[in-house]
Structures are given as structure tokens and as C-alpha cells.
PDB file of all heavy atoms in Angstrom:
ATOM      1  N   TRP A 485       0.856  -1.160  -0.009  1.00  0.00           N
ATOM      2  CA  TRP A 485       0.014  -0.021  -0.001  1.00  0.00           C
ATOM      3  C   TRP A 485       0.881   1.210   0.017  1.00  0.00           C
ATOM      4  O   TRP A 485       2.129   1.140  -0.058  1.00  0.00           O
ATOM      5  CB  TRP A 485      -0.920   0.017   1.213  1.00  0.00           C
ATOM      6  CG  TRP A 485      -2.252   0.736   0.993  1.00  0.00           C
ATOM      7  CD1 TRP A 485      -2.697   1.154  -0.241  1.00  0.00           C
ATOM      8  CD2 TRP A 485      -3.174   1.109   1.930  1.00  0.00           C
ATOM      9  NE1 TRP A 485      -3.945   1.773  -0.037  1.00  0.00           N
ATOM     10  CE2 TRP A 485      -4.250   1.760   1.269  1.00  0.00           C
ATOM     11  CE3 TRP A 485      -3.237   0.938   3.360  1.00  0.00           C
ATOM     12  CZ2 TRP A 485      -5.395   2.246   1.975  1.00  0.00           C
ATOM     13  CZ3 TRP A 485      -4.378   1.471   3.999  1.00  0.00           C
ATOM     14  CH2 TRP A 485      -5.391   2.059   3.348  1.00  0.00           C
ATOM     15  N   ASP A 486       0.297   2.372   0.027  1.00  0.00           N
ATOM     16  CA  ASP A 486       1.007   3.689   0.162  1.00  0.00           C
ATOM     17  C   ASP A 486       0.564   4.467   1.349  1.00  0.00           C
ATOM     18  O   ASP A 486      -0.672   4.357   1.751  1.00  0.00           O
ATOM     19  CB  ASP A 486       0.870   4.502  -1.102  1.00  0.00           C
ATOM     20  CG  ASP A 486       1.624   3.869  -2.306  1.00  0.00           C
ATOM     21  OD1 ASP A 486       2.875   3.847  -2.184  1.00  0.00           O
ATOM     22  OD2 ASP A 486       0.974   3.429  -3.262  1.00  0.00           O
ATOM     23  N   VAL A 487       1.414   5.283   1.951  1.00  0.00           N
ATOM     24  CA  VAL A 487       0.973   6.056   3.057  1.00  0.00           C
ATOM     25  C   VAL A 487      -0.059   7.121   2.643  1.00  0.00           C
ATOM     26  O   VAL A 487      -1.012   7.346   3.380  1.00  0.00           O
ATOM     27  CB  VAL A 487       2.211   6.825   3.663  1.00  0.00           C
ATOM     28  CG1 VAL A 487       1.773   7.694   4.831  1.00  0.00           C
ATOM     29  CG2 VAL A 487       3.259   5.807   4.144  1.00  0.00           C
ATOM     30  N   LEU A 488       0.112   7.671   1.436  1.00  0.00           N
ATOM     31  CA  LEU A 488      -0.813   8.720   1.004  1.00  0.00           C
ATOM     32  C   LEU A 488      -1.932   8.192   0.176  1.00  0.00           C
ATOM     33  O   LEU A 488      -1.748   7.295  -0.697  1.00  0.00           O
ATOM     34  CB  LEU A 488      -0.019   9.770   0.194  1.00  0.00           C
ATOM     35  CG  LEU A 488       1.050  10.519   0.969  1.00  0.00           C
ATOM     36  CD1 LEU A 488       1.659  11.599   0.109  1.00  0.00           C
ATOM     37  CD2 LEU A 488       0.553  11.094   2.286  1.00  0.00           C
ATOM     38  N   SER A 489      -3.109   8.712   0.394  1.00  0.00           N
ATOM     39  CA  SER A 489      -4.243   8.485  -0.421  1.00  0.00           C
ATOM     40  C   SER A 489      -4.243   9.383  -1.649  1.00  0.00           C
ATOM     41  O   SER A 489      -4.676   8.966  -2.771  1.00  0.00           O
ATOM     42  CB  SER A 489      -5.540   8.739   0.344  1.00  0.00           C
ATOM     43  OG  SER A 489      -6.672   8.726  -0.477  1.00  0.00           O
ATOM     44  N   CYS A 490      -3.716  10.614  -1.477  1.00  0.00           N
ATOM     45  CA  CYS A 490      -3.735  11.587  -2.582  1.00  0.00           C
ATOM     46  C   CYS A 490      -2.738  12.736  -2.171  1.00  0.00           C
ATOM     47  O   CYS A 490      -2.364  12.916  -0.993  1.00  0.00           O
ATOM     48  CB  CYS A 490      -5.105  12.084  -2.865  1.00  0.00           C
ATOM     49  SG  CYS A 490      -5.906  12.881  -1.465  1.00  0.00           S
ATOM     50  N   CYS A 491      -2.403  13.444  -3.214  1.00  0.00           N
ATOM     51  CA  CYS A 491      -1.522  14.662  -3.050  1.00  0.00           C
ATOM     52  C   CYS A 491      -1.497  15.377  -4.351  1.00  0.00           C
ATOM     53  O   CYS A 491      -2.046  14.868  -5.404  1.00  0.00           O
ATOM     54  CB  CYS A 491      -0.090  14.231  -2.636  1.00  0.00           C
ATOM     55  SG  CYS A 491       0.834  13.354  -3.877  1.00  0.00           S
ATOM     56  N   THR A 492      -0.925  16.544  -4.346  1.00  0.00           N
ATOM     57  CA  THR A 492      -0.537  17.179  -5.628  1.00  0.00           C
ATOM     58  C   THR A 492       0.963  17.015  -5.785  1.00  0.00           C
ATOM     59  O   THR A 492       1.741  17.068  -4.808  1.00  0.00           O
ATOM     60  CB  THR A 492      -0.959  18.653  -5.668  1.00  0.00           C
ATOM     61  OG1 THR A 492      -0.314  19.357  -4.540  1.00  0.00           O
ATOM     62  CG2 THR A 492      -2.469  18.805  -5.549  1.00  0.00           C
ATOM     63  N   ARG A 493       1.407  16.895  -7.032  1.00  0.00           N
ATOM     64  CA  ARG A 493       2.860  16.665  -7.298  1.00  0.00           C
ATOM     65  C   ARG A 493       3.088  16.850  -8.789  1.00  0.00           C
ATOM     66  O   ARG A 493       2.394  16.347  -9.628  1.00  0.00           O
ATOM     67  CB  ARG A 493       3.165  15.187  -6.902  1.00  0.00           C
ATOM     68  CG  ARG A 493       4.625  14.861  -7.030  1.00  0.00           C
ATOM     69  CD  ARG A 493       4.865  13.370  -6.855  1.00  0.00           C
ATOM     70  NE  ARG A 493       4.143  12.613  -7.875  1.00  0.00           N
ATOM     71  CZ  ARG A 493       3.735  11.304  -7.778  1.00  0.00           C
ATOM     72  NH1 ARG A 493       4.029  10.685  -6.658  1.00  0.00           N
ATOM     73  NH2 ARG A 493       3.169  10.702  -8.783  1.00  0.00           N
ATOM     74  N   GLU A 494       4.195  17.542  -9.061  1.00  0.00           N
ATOM     75  CA  GLU A 494       4.689  17.658 -10.442  1.00  0.00           C
ATOM     76  C   GLU A 494       5.736  16.565 -10.648  1.00  0.00           C
ATOM     77  O   GLU A 494       6.705  16.541  -9.940  1.00  0.00           O
ATOM     78  CB  GLU A 494       5.299  19.034 -10.674  1.00  0.00           C
ATOM     79  CG  GLU A 494       4.293  20.173 -10.641  1.00  0.00           C
ATOM     80  CD  GLU A 494       4.980  21.497 -11.018  1.00  0.00           C
ATOM     81  OE1 GLU A 494       6.047  21.487 -11.514  1.00  0.00           O
ATOM     82  OE2 GLU A 494       4.273  22.510 -10.708  1.00  0.00           O
ATOM     83  N   GLY A 495       5.456  15.684 -11.580  1.00  0.00           N
ATOM     84  CA  GLY A 495       6.437  14.596 -11.792  1.00  0.00           C
ATOM     85  C   GLY A 495       6.235  13.505 -10.784  1.00  0.00           C
ATOM     86  O   GLY A 495       5.216  13.317 -10.200  1.00  0.00           O
ATOM     87  N   SER A 496       7.307  12.746 -10.500  1.00  0.00           N
ATOM     88  CA  SER A 496       7.272  11.617  -9.662  1.00  0.00           C
ATOM     89  C   SER A 496       8.066  11.731  -8.398  1.00  0.00           C
ATOM     90  O   SER A 496       7.980  10.824  -7.487  1.00  0.00           O
ATOM     91  CB  SER A 496       7.743  10.385 -10.372  1.00  0.00           C
ATOM     92  OG  SER A 496       6.927  10.071 -11.512  1.00  0.00           O
ATOM     93  N   LEU A 497       8.838  12.750  -8.208  1.00  0.00           N
ATOM     94  CA  LEU A 497       9.765  12.866  -7.050  1.00  0.00           C
ATOM     95  C   LEU A 497       9.014  13.126  -5.802  1.00  0.00           C
ATOM     96  O   LEU A 497       8.077  13.985  -5.778  1.00  0.00           O
ATOM     97  CB  LEU A 497      10.827  13.926  -7.284  1.00  0.00           C
ATOM     98  CG  LEU A 497      11.842  13.677  -8.378  1.00  0.00           C
ATOM     99  CD1 LEU A 497      12.771  14.903  -8.558  1.00  0.00           C
ATOM    100  CD2 LEU A 497      12.662  12.407  -8.116  1.00  0.00           C
ATOM    101  N   ASP A 498       9.422  12.432  -4.707  1.00  0.00           N
ATOM    102  CA  ASP A 498       8.768  12.640  -3.423  1.00  0.00           C
ATOM    103  C   ASP A 498       8.963  14.086  -2.941  1.00  0.00           C
ATOM    104  O   ASP A 498       8.134  14.579  -2.134  1.00  0.00           O
ATOM    105  CB  ASP A 498       9.330  11.720  -2.368  1.00  0.00           C
ATOM    106  CG  ASP A 498       8.836  10.298  -2.614  1.00  0.00           C
ATOM    107  OD1 ASP A 498       7.741  10.072  -3.146  1.00  0.00           O
ATOM    108  OD2 ASP A 498       9.607   9.340  -2.230  1.00  0.00           O
ATOM    109  N   THR A 499      10.064  14.700  -3.307  1.00  0.00           N
ATOM    110  CA  THR A 499      10.359  16.068  -2.864  1.00  0.00           C
ATOM    111  C   THR A 499       9.369  17.043  -3.443  1.00  0.00           C
ATOM    112  O   THR A 499       9.290  18.180  -2.946  1.00  0.00           O
ATOM    113  CB  THR A 499      11.810  16.468  -3.200  1.00  0.00           C
ATOM    114  OG1 THR A 499      11.958  16.300  -4.648  1.00  0.00           O
ATOM    115  CG2 THR A 499      12.813  15.656  -2.479  1.00  0.00           C
ATOM    116  N   ARG A 500       8.603  16.672  -4.431  1.00  0.00           N
ATOM    117  CA  ARG A 500       7.569  17.587  -4.991  1.00  0.00           C
ATOM    118  C   ARG A 500       6.207  17.323  -4.491  1.00  0.00           C
ATOM    119  O   ARG A 500       5.248  17.936  -5.074  1.00  0.00           O
ATOM    120  CB  ARG A 500       7.691  17.460  -6.553  1.00  0.00           C
ATOM    121  CG  ARG A 500       9.027  17.868  -7.086  1.00  0.00           C
ATOM    122  CD  ARG A 500       8.968  18.214  -8.585  1.00  0.00           C
ATOM    123  NE  ARG A 500      10.160  18.742  -9.040  1.00  0.00           N
ATOM    124  CZ  ARG A 500      10.311  19.291 -10.314  1.00  0.00           C
ATOM    125  NH1 ARG A 500       9.289  19.297 -11.102  1.00  0.00           N
ATOM    126  NH2 ARG A 500      11.474  19.843 -10.679  1.00  0.00           N
ATOM    127  N   ILE A 501       6.055  16.430  -3.578  1.00  0.00           N
ATOM    128  CA  ILE A 501       4.737  16.218  -2.963  1.00  0.00           C
ATOM    129  C   ILE A 501       4.242  17.379  -2.176  1.00  0.00           C
ATOM    130  O   ILE A 501       4.965  18.000  -1.348  1.00  0.00           O
ATOM    131  CB  ILE A 501       4.793  14.948  -2.086  1.00  0.00           C
ATOM    132  CG1 ILE A 501       4.872  13.618  -2.872  1.00  0.00           C
ATOM    133  CG2 ILE A 501       3.488  14.877  -1.208  1.00  0.00           C
ATOM    134  CD1 ILE A 501       5.019  12.417  -2.050  1.00  0.00           C
ATOM    135  N   ARG A 502       2.997  17.821  -2.479  1.00  0.00           N
ATOM    136  CA  ARG A 502       2.344  18.880  -1.799  1.00  0.00           C
ATOM    137  C   ARG A 502       0.975  18.384  -1.380  1.00  0.00           C
ATOM    138  O   ARG A 502       0.365  17.548  -2.015  1.00  0.00           O
ATOM    139  CB  ARG A 502       2.244  20.122  -2.727  1.00  0.00           C
ATOM    140  CG  ARG A 502       3.612  20.701  -3.204  1.00  0.00           C
ATOM    141  CD  ARG A 502       4.434  21.295  -2.089  1.00  0.00           C
ATOM    142  NE  ARG A 502       5.660  21.857  -2.611  1.00  0.00           N
ATOM    143  CZ  ARG A 502       6.810  21.217  -2.780  1.00  0.00           C
ATOM    144  NH1 ARG A 502       6.885  19.918  -2.456  1.00  0.00           N
ATOM    145  NH2 ARG A 502       7.886  21.750  -3.209  1.00  0.00           N
ATOM    146  N   ASN A 503       0.405  19.103  -0.419  1.00  0.00           N
ATOM    147  CA  ASN A 503      -0.974  18.771   0.069  1.00  0.00           C
ATOM    148  C   ASN A 503      -1.219  17.262   0.282  1.00  0.00           C
ATOM    149  O   ASN A 503      -2.198  16.729  -0.198  1.00  0.00           O
ATOM    150  CB  ASN A 503      -2.009  19.306  -0.996  1.00  0.00           C
ATOM    151  CG  ASN A 503      -1.773  20.787  -1.336  1.00  0.00           C
ATOM    152  OD1 ASN A 503      -1.910  21.627  -0.470  1.00  0.00           O
ATOM    153  ND2 ASN A 503      -1.471  21.020  -2.585  1.00  0.00           N
ATOM    154  N   PRO A 504      -0.353  16.636   1.034  1.00  0.00           N
ATOM    155  CA  PRO A 504      -0.562  15.202   1.206  1.00  0.00           C
ATOM    156  C   PRO A 504      -1.751  14.849   2.132  1.00  0.00           C
ATOM    157  O   PRO A 504      -2.011  15.600   3.057  1.00  0.00           O
ATOM    158  CB  PRO A 504       0.741  14.797   1.884  1.00  0.00           C
ATOM    159  CG  PRO A 504       1.190  15.996   2.638  1.00  0.00           C
ATOM    160  CD  PRO A 504       0.838  17.142   1.734  1.00  0.00           C
ATOM    161  N   ARG A 505      -2.420  13.781   1.769  1.00  0.00           N
ATOM    162  CA  ARG A 505      -3.596  13.318   2.602  1.00  0.00           C
ATOM    163  C   ARG A 505      -3.316  11.839   2.773  1.00  0.00           C
ATOM    164  O   ARG A 505      -3.081  11.083   1.849  1.00  0.00           O
ATOM    165  CB  ARG A 505      -4.906  13.483   1.883  1.00  0.00           C
ATOM    166  CG  ARG A 505      -5.221  14.956   1.472  1.00  0.00           C
ATOM    167  CD  ARG A 505      -5.533  15.800   2.683  1.00  0.00           C
ATOM    168  NE  ARG A 505      -5.986  17.146   2.287  1.00  0.00           N
ATOM    169  CZ  ARG A 505      -5.177  18.231   2.091  1.00  0.00           C
ATOM    170  NH1 ARG A 505      -3.879  18.048   2.292  1.00  0.00           N
ATOM    171  NH2 ARG A 505      -5.690  19.354   1.793  1.00  0.00           N
ATOM    172  N   PRO A 506      -3.363  11.336   4.015  1.00  0.00           N
ATOM    173  CA  PRO A 506      -3.052   9.934   4.231  1.00  0.00           C
ATOM    174  C   PRO A 506      -4.148   8.940   3.963  1.00  0.00           C
ATOM    175  O   PRO A 506      -5.345   9.222   4.043  1.00  0.00           O
ATOM    176  CB  PRO A 506      -2.715   9.888   5.782  1.00  0.00           C
ATOM    177  CG  PRO A 506      -3.656  10.906   6.311  1.00  0.00           C
ATOM    178  CD  PRO A 506      -3.748  12.012   5.237  1.00  0.00           C
ATOM    179  N   ASN A 507      -3.711   7.650   3.614  1.00  0.00           N
ATOM    180  CA  ASN A 507      -4.656   6.565   3.698  1.00  0.00           C
ATOM    181  C   ASN A 507      -4.995   6.235   5.139  1.00  0.00           C
ATOM    182  O   ASN A 507      -4.244   6.652   6.060  1.00  0.00           O
ATOM    183  CB  ASN A 507      -4.038   5.338   3.024  1.00  0.00           C
ATOM    184  CG  ASN A 507      -4.236   5.367   1.471  1.00  0.00           C
ATOM    185  OD1 ASN A 507      -5.369   5.532   1.057  1.00  0.00           O
ATOM    186  ND2 ASN A 507      -3.176   5.073   0.749  1.00  0.00           N
ATOM    187  N   ASP A 508      -6.019   5.489   5.315  1.00  0.00           N
ATOM    188  CA  ASP A 508      -6.483   5.109   6.699  1.00  0.00           C
ATOM    189  C   ASP A 508      -5.698   3.907   7.153  1.00  0.00           C
ATOM    190  O   ASP A 508      -6.204   2.792   7.219  1.00  0.00           O
ATOM    191  CB  ASP A 508      -7.968   4.859   6.708  1.00  0.00           C
ATOM    192  CG  ASP A 508      -8.576   4.837   8.091  1.00  0.00           C
ATOM    193  OD1 ASP A 508      -7.749   4.739   9.072  1.00  0.00           O
ATOM    194  OD2 ASP A 508      -9.729   4.798   8.251  1.00  0.00           O
ATOM    195  N   ILE A 509      -4.382   4.180   7.455  1.00  0.00           N
ATOM    196  CA  ILE A 509      -3.512   3.077   7.902  1.00  0.00           C
ATOM    197  C   ILE A 509      -4.040   2.377   9.117  1.00  0.00           C
ATOM    198  O   ILE A 509      -4.071   1.129   9.206  1.00  0.00           O
ATOM    199  CB  ILE A 509      -2.096   3.591   8.058  1.00  0.00           C
ATOM    200  CG1 ILE A 509      -1.605   4.279   6.792  1.00  0.00           C
ATOM    201  CG2 ILE A 509      -1.184   2.427   8.428  1.00  0.00           C
ATOM    202  CD1 ILE A 509      -1.459   3.422   5.630  1.00  0.00           C
ATOM    203  N   PRO A 510      -4.468   3.096  10.216  1.00  0.00           N
ATOM    204  CA  PRO A 510      -5.004   2.433  11.362  1.00  0.00           C
ATOM    205  C   PRO A 510      -6.171   1.446  11.117  1.00  0.00           C
ATOM    206  O   PRO A 510      -6.191   0.345  11.694  1.00  0.00           O
ATOM    207  CB  PRO A 510      -5.421   3.572  12.294  1.00  0.00           C
ATOM    208  CG  PRO A 510      -4.498   4.722  11.878  1.00  0.00           C
ATOM    209  CD  PRO A 510      -4.418   4.598  10.381  1.00  0.00           C
ATOM    210  N   SER A 511      -7.070   1.893  10.275  1.00  0.00           N
ATOM    211  CA  SER A 511      -8.199   0.949   9.940  1.00  0.00           C
ATOM    212  C   SER A 511      -7.746  -0.310   9.252  1.00  0.00           C
ATOM    213  O   SER A 511      -8.224  -1.413   9.463  1.00  0.00           O
ATOM    214  CB  SER A 511      -9.256   1.657   9.109  1.00  0.00           C
ATOM    215  OG  SER A 511     -10.067   2.542   9.911  1.00  0.00           O
ATOM    216  N   PHE A 512      -6.784  -0.087   8.351  1.00  0.00           N
ATOM    217  CA  PHE A 512      -6.195  -1.285   7.643  1.00  0.00           C
ATOM    218  C   PHE A 512      -5.542  -2.310   8.619  1.00  0.00           C
ATOM    219  O   PHE A 512      -5.730  -3.473   8.577  1.00  0.00           O
ATOM    220  CB  PHE A 512      -5.232  -0.871   6.550  1.00  0.00           C
ATOM    221  CG  PHE A 512      -4.717  -2.035   5.760  1.00  0.00           C
ATOM    222  CD1 PHE A 512      -5.477  -2.540   4.691  1.00  0.00           C
ATOM    223  CD2 PHE A 512      -3.480  -2.590   5.995  1.00  0.00           C
ATOM    224  CE1 PHE A 512      -4.990  -3.605   3.945  1.00  0.00           C
ATOM    225  CE2 PHE A 512      -3.029  -3.641   5.271  1.00  0.00           C
ATOM    226  CZ  PHE A 512      -3.822  -4.161   4.222  1.00  0.00           C
ATOM    227  N   LEU A 513      -4.750  -1.708   9.544  1.00  0.00           N
ATOM    228  CA  LEU A 513      -4.096  -2.564  10.529  1.00  0.00           C
ATOM    229  C   LEU A 513      -5.090  -3.178  11.454  1.00  0.00           C
ATOM    230  O   LEU A 513      -4.902  -4.382  11.841  1.00  0.00           O
ATOM    231  CB  LEU A 513      -3.111  -1.675  11.302  1.00  0.00           C
ATOM    232  CG  LEU A 513      -1.871  -1.188  10.494  1.00  0.00           C
ATOM    233  CD1 LEU A 513      -1.118  -0.135  11.360  1.00  0.00           C
ATOM    234  CD2 LEU A 513      -0.979  -2.284  10.045  1.00  0.00           C
ATOM    235  N   LEU A 514      -6.138  -2.481  11.812  1.00  0.00           N
ATOM    236  CA  LEU A 514      -7.189  -3.071  12.659  1.00  0.00           C
ATOM    237  C   LEU A 514      -7.851  -4.206  11.988  1.00  0.00           C
ATOM    238  O   LEU A 514      -8.182  -5.203  12.594  1.00  0.00           O
ATOM    239  CB  LEU A 514      -8.165  -1.929  13.057  1.00  0.00           C
ATOM    240  CG  LEU A 514      -9.245  -2.301  14.037  1.00  0.00           C
ATOM    241  CD1 LEU A 514      -8.714  -2.754  15.380  1.00  0.00           C
ATOM    242  CD2 LEU A 514     -10.265  -1.143  14.212  1.00  0.00           C
ATOM    243  N   GLY A 515      -8.060  -4.069  10.634  1.00  0.00           N
ATOM    244  CA  GLY A 515      -8.718  -5.121   9.854  1.00  0.00           C
ATOM    245  C   GLY A 515      -7.826  -6.266   9.538  1.00  0.00           C
ATOM    246  O   GLY A 515      -8.295  -7.282   9.035  1.00  0.00           O
ATOM    247  N   HIS A 516      -6.521  -6.135   9.761  1.00  0.00           N
ATOM    248  CA  HIS A 516      -5.576  -7.169   9.428  1.00  0.00           C
ATOM    249  C   HIS A 516      -4.673  -7.407  10.676  1.00  0.00           C
ATOM    250  O   HIS A 516      -3.491  -7.072  10.689  1.00  0.00           O
ATOM    251  CB  HIS A 516      -4.754  -6.798   8.256  1.00  0.00           C
ATOM    252  CG  HIS A 516      -5.531  -6.660   6.993  1.00  0.00           C
ATOM    253  ND1 HIS A 516      -6.240  -5.503   6.698  1.00  0.00           N
ATOM    254  CD2 HIS A 516      -5.796  -7.532   5.970  1.00  0.00           C
ATOM    255  CE1 HIS A 516      -6.870  -5.688   5.571  1.00  0.00           C
ATOM    256  NE2 HIS A 516      -6.641  -6.929   5.101  1.00  0.00           N
ATOM    257  N   PRO A 517      -5.211  -8.068  11.715  1.00  0.00           N
ATOM    258  CA  PRO A 517      -4.502  -8.203  12.961  1.00  0.00           C
ATOM    259  C   PRO A 517      -3.289  -9.089  12.922  1.00  0.00           C
ATOM    260  O   PRO A 517      -2.501  -9.150  13.830  1.00  0.00           O
ATOM    261  CB  PRO A 517      -5.556  -8.706  13.950  1.00  0.00           C
ATOM    262  CG  PRO A 517      -6.569  -9.383  13.035  1.00  0.00           C
ATOM    263  CD  PRO A 517      -6.586  -8.594  11.784  1.00  0.00           C
ATOM    264  N   THR A 518      -3.141  -9.848  11.807  1.00  0.00           N
ATOM    265  CA  THR A 518      -1.952 -10.703  11.644  1.00  0.00           C
ATOM    266  C   THR A 518      -0.693  -9.923  11.354  1.00  0.00           C
ATOM    267  O   THR A 518       0.444 -10.471  11.449  1.00  0.00           O
ATOM    268  CB  THR A 518      -2.185 -11.700  10.503  1.00  0.00           C
ATOM    269  OG1 THR A 518      -2.593 -11.016   9.337  1.00  0.00           O
ATOM    270  CG2 THR A 518      -3.269 -12.707  10.940  1.00  0.00           C
ATOM    271  N   ILE A 519      -0.795  -8.666  10.884  1.00  0.00           N
ATOM    272  CA  ILE A 519       0.374  -7.855  10.540  1.00  0.00           C
ATOM    273  C   ILE A 519       1.239  -7.611  11.798  1.00  0.00           C
ATOM    274  O   ILE A 519       0.741  -7.053  12.816  1.00  0.00           O
ATOM    275  CB  ILE A 519      -0.030  -6.545   9.906  1.00  0.00           C
ATOM    276  CG1 ILE A 519      -0.637  -6.808   8.495  1.00  0.00           C
ATOM    277  CG2 ILE A 519       1.204  -5.617   9.739  1.00  0.00           C
ATOM    278  CD1 ILE A 519      -1.235  -5.576   7.818  1.00  0.00           C
ATOM    279  N   GLN A 520       2.500  -7.904  11.703  1.00  0.00           N
ATOM    280  CA  GLN A 520       3.427  -7.788  12.796  1.00  0.00           C
ATOM    281  C   GLN A 520       4.520  -6.763  12.455  1.00  0.00           C
ATOM    282  O   GLN A 520       5.103  -6.185  13.350  1.00  0.00           O
ATOM    283  CB  GLN A 520       4.136  -9.087  13.104  1.00  0.00           C
ATOM    284  CG  GLN A 520       3.170 -10.200  13.500  1.00  0.00           C
ATOM    285  CD  GLN A 520       2.409  -9.885  14.804  1.00  0.00           C
ATOM    286  OE1 GLN A 520       2.990  -9.396  15.746  1.00  0.00           O
ATOM    287  NE2 GLN A 520       1.110 -10.158  14.776  1.00  0.00           N
ATOM    288  N   ARG A 521       4.779  -6.488  11.181  1.00  0.00           N
ATOM    289  CA  ARG A 521       5.792  -5.610  10.808  1.00  0.00           C
ATOM    290  C   ARG A 521       5.315  -4.650   9.669  1.00  0.00           C
ATOM    291  O   ARG A 521       4.644  -5.083   8.731  1.00  0.00           O
ATOM    292  CB  ARG A 521       7.027  -6.380  10.227  1.00  0.00           C
ATOM    293  CG  ARG A 521       7.680  -7.179  11.396  1.00  0.00           C
ATOM    294  CD  ARG A 521       8.849  -8.011  10.795  1.00  0.00           C
ATOM    295  NE  ARG A 521       9.444  -8.921  11.832  1.00  0.00           N
ATOM    296  CZ  ARG A 521      10.601  -8.744  12.378  1.00  0.00           C
ATOM    297  NH1 ARG A 521      11.453  -7.838  11.977  1.00  0.00           N
ATOM    298  NH2 ARG A 521      11.065  -9.623  13.294  1.00  0.00           N
ATOM    299  N   VAL A 522       5.733  -3.386   9.781  1.00  0.00           N
ATOM    300  CA  VAL A 522       5.426  -2.383   8.807  1.00  0.00           C
ATOM    301  C   VAL A 522       6.744  -1.893   8.220  1.00  0.00           C
ATOM    302  O   VAL A 522       7.579  -1.351   8.987  1.00  0.00           O
ATOM    303  CB  VAL A 522       4.649  -1.202   9.383  1.00  0.00           C
ATOM    304  CG1 VAL A 522       4.404  -0.119   8.333  1.00  0.00           C
ATOM    305  CG2 VAL A 522       3.317  -1.720   9.975  1.00  0.00           C
ATOM    306  N   PHE A 523       6.990  -2.110   6.944  1.00  0.00           N
ATOM    307  CA  PHE A 523       8.222  -1.650   6.351  1.00  0.00           C
ATOM    308  C   PHE A 523       7.880  -0.547   5.374  1.00  0.00           C
ATOM    309  O   PHE A 523       6.867  -0.499   4.686  1.00  0.00           O
ATOM    310  CB  PHE A 523       8.793  -2.808   5.418  1.00  0.00           C
ATOM    311  CG  PHE A 523       9.235  -3.986   6.225  1.00  0.00           C
ATOM    312  CD1 PHE A 523       9.170  -5.309   5.625  1.00  0.00           C
ATOM    313  CD2 PHE A 523       9.786  -3.825   7.508  1.00  0.00           C
ATOM    314  CE1 PHE A 523       9.602  -6.387   6.402  1.00  0.00           C
ATOM    315  CE2 PHE A 523      10.188  -5.005   8.262  1.00  0.00           C
ATOM    316  CZ  PHE A 523      10.089  -6.240   7.702  1.00  0.00           C
TER     317      PHE A 523
END
């Protein structure tokens, strides 16, 4: 998965990410209790 649900960005570089909005990582982890490691 990705940390961000959406953002504005010119090109592909992370340094150009603006207005980041996160995915609902806590809900995903709650729904998948087998996960032990986040890389």
C-alpha cells in the first residue's frame, strides 16, 4: 500500500509532494491483525 491516499505533485519525485492526505492506515491494521511488521 502507500501512506498517501492523494496529493498534488509535479512529476514523480517525493520532494515535489504537496498537500498530502493519508490513507487510513490504522483501519487497515485493525482489519488485518496478523500484521506484525510495517516496512
